[in-house]
Amino acid sequence: MQRNIKAVIQPQIKGVIFDLDGTLVSSSLDFSIIKAQVGCPHDQDLLTYIEHLPSAYMREEAMHIVHQHELMDAQHSQVLPGVQESLEQLHHLGIPMAIVTRNYGKAAELKLKQCAISISHLITRDDAPAKPDPTALLDIAKQWGFNAKHCIYVGDYLYDIQAAHNASMRACFYAPDDVPTYATEAQYILRHFNELPELILAHR
């Protein structure tokens, strides 16, 4: 686990917010295929592209395609290694937990049920602007009654790091395999999910 050199003076961690796909549960979504089907250039963000389509009908049709892919993916999703054990440890520590995902509600709920993830506080793109917009993260901190600096966001993609920074939260990047260059923008890098409780305990 990589730690920022300033970790010893970081504020206490009181709450943990997670990404969903690739962080807590598996995902096999092929965005290159989805983008091709809706006409989105490969170098553009899919949700942003759909949002700016010129008619409501085009947006609805494109989102329908995305929903079908997400639901199919949800049916085959599995909990990732070390997640259940780590969530149980955080629960015993009394740490409140939540999930913020760019997925849509029905698919996200199906994944949580199928993978037996017992985090009830879920915000999807149906509920708030999609990451890297910080709205969902800030809303959770407000509901918990915490200053954002006392929360940490755990995810596996650049948008997760950006969302955390935009919310003035610490970013924890989960990289069980390859570590992309942008991962250094996060305060912490987890190579194994079971390192997370140790990180939280170090900031209690």
Side-chain angles (χ1 to χ4, degrees), residues 47 52 56 75 89 101 197:
L47 297 181
H52 289 92
Q75 294 171 11
Q89 291 182 56
T101 174

mmCIF file of all heavy atoms in Angstrom, residues 47 52 56 75 89 101 197:
data_model
loop_
_atom_site.group_PDB
_atom_site.id
_atom_site.type_symbol
_atom_site.label_atom_id
_atom_site.label_comp_id
_atom_site.label_asym_id
_atom_site.label_seq_id
_atom_site.Cartn_x
_atom_site.Cartn_y
_atom_site.Cartn_z
ATOM 1 N N LEU A 47 -21.284 8.952 -21.188
ATOM 2 C CA LEU A 47 -22.454 9.620 -20.630
ATOM 3 C C LEU A 47 -22.550 11.069 -21.076
ATOM 4 O O LEU A 47 -23.649 11.585 -21.340
ATOM 5 C CB LEU A 47 -22.421 9.537 -19.100
ATOM 6 C CG LEU A 47 -22.494 8.139 -18.498
ATOM 7 C CD1 LEU A 47 -22.470 8.202 -16.984
ATOM 8 C CD2 LEU A 47 -23.738 7.401 -18.978
ATOM 9 N N HIS A 52 -25.455 15.102 -24.640
ATOM 10 C CA HIS A 52 -25.425 16.192 -25.611
ATOM 11 C C HIS A 52 -25.969 15.793 -26.986
ATOM 12 O O HIS A 52 -25.826 16.558 -27.954
ATOM 13 C CB HIS A 52 -24.003 16.737 -25.744
ATOM 14 C CG HIS A 52 -23.552 17.506 -24.530
ATOM 15 N ND1 HIS A 52 -22.873 16.906 -23.492
ATOM 16 C CD2 HIS A 52 -23.706 18.799 -24.186
ATOM 17 C CE1 HIS A 52 -22.611 17.812 -22.555
ATOM 18 N NE2 HIS A 52 -23.113 18.967 -22.955
ATOM 19 N N ALA A 56 -34.331 14.325 -27.660
ATOM 20 C CA ALA A 56 -34.695 13.457 -26.547
ATOM 21 C C ALA A 56 -34.810 12.006 -27.006
ATOM 22 O O ALA A 56 -34.450 11.083 -26.269
ATOM 23 C CB ALA A 56 -36.006 13.930 -25.928
ATOM 24 N N GLN A 75 -25.921 -9.266 -14.159
ATOM 25 C CA GLN A 75 -26.330 -10.652 -13.956
ATOM 26 C C GLN A 75 -25.145 -11.596 -13.763
ATOM 27 O O GLN A 75 -25.304 -12.684 -13.214
ATOM 28 C CB GLN A 75 -27.179 -11.117 -15.141
ATOM 29 C CG GLN A 75 -28.513 -10.398 -15.252
ATOM 30 C CD GLN A 75 -29.246 -10.712 -16.541
ATOM 31 O OE1 GLN A 75 -28.857 -11.624 -17.275
ATOM 32 N NE2 GLN A 75 -30.297 -9.958 -16.833
ATOM 33 N N GLN A 89 -14.930 -5.809 8.615
ATOM 34 C CA GLN A 89 -14.029 -5.165 9.583
ATOM 35 C C GLN A 89 -14.387 -3.699 9.764
ATOM 36 O O GLN A 89 -14.403 -3.187 10.891
ATOM 37 C CB GLN A 89 -12.581 -5.300 9.108
ATOM 38 C CG GLN A 89 -12.036 -6.704 9.165
ATOM 39 C CD GLN A 89 -10.586 -6.771 8.723
ATOM 40 O OE1 GLN A 89 -9.733 -6.073 9.270
ATOM 41 N NE2 GLN A 89 -10.299 -7.594 7.728
ATOM 42 N N THR A 101 -21.735 5.395 -7.753
ATOM 43 C CA THR A 101 -21.391 4.746 -9.004
ATOM 44 C C THR A 101 -21.971 5.500 -10.192
ATOM 45 O O THR A 101 -23.016 6.138 -10.088
ATOM 46 C CB THR A 101 -21.912 3.291 -9.020
ATOM 47 O OG1 THR A 101 -21.683 2.702 -10.299
ATOM 48 C CG2 THR A 101 -23.403 3.227 -8.710
ATOM 49 N N PRO A 197 -8.777 -1.831 5.711
ATOM 50 C CA PRO A 197 -8.985 -1.620 7.143
ATOM 51 C C PRO A 197 -7.738 -1.106 7.857
ATOM 52 O O PRO A 197 -7.828 -0.276 8.767
ATOM 53 C CB PRO A 197 -9.384 -3.018 7.647
ATOM 54 C CG PRO A 197 -10.019 -3.664 6.455
ATOM 55 C CD PRO A 197 -9.196 -3.190 5.274
#
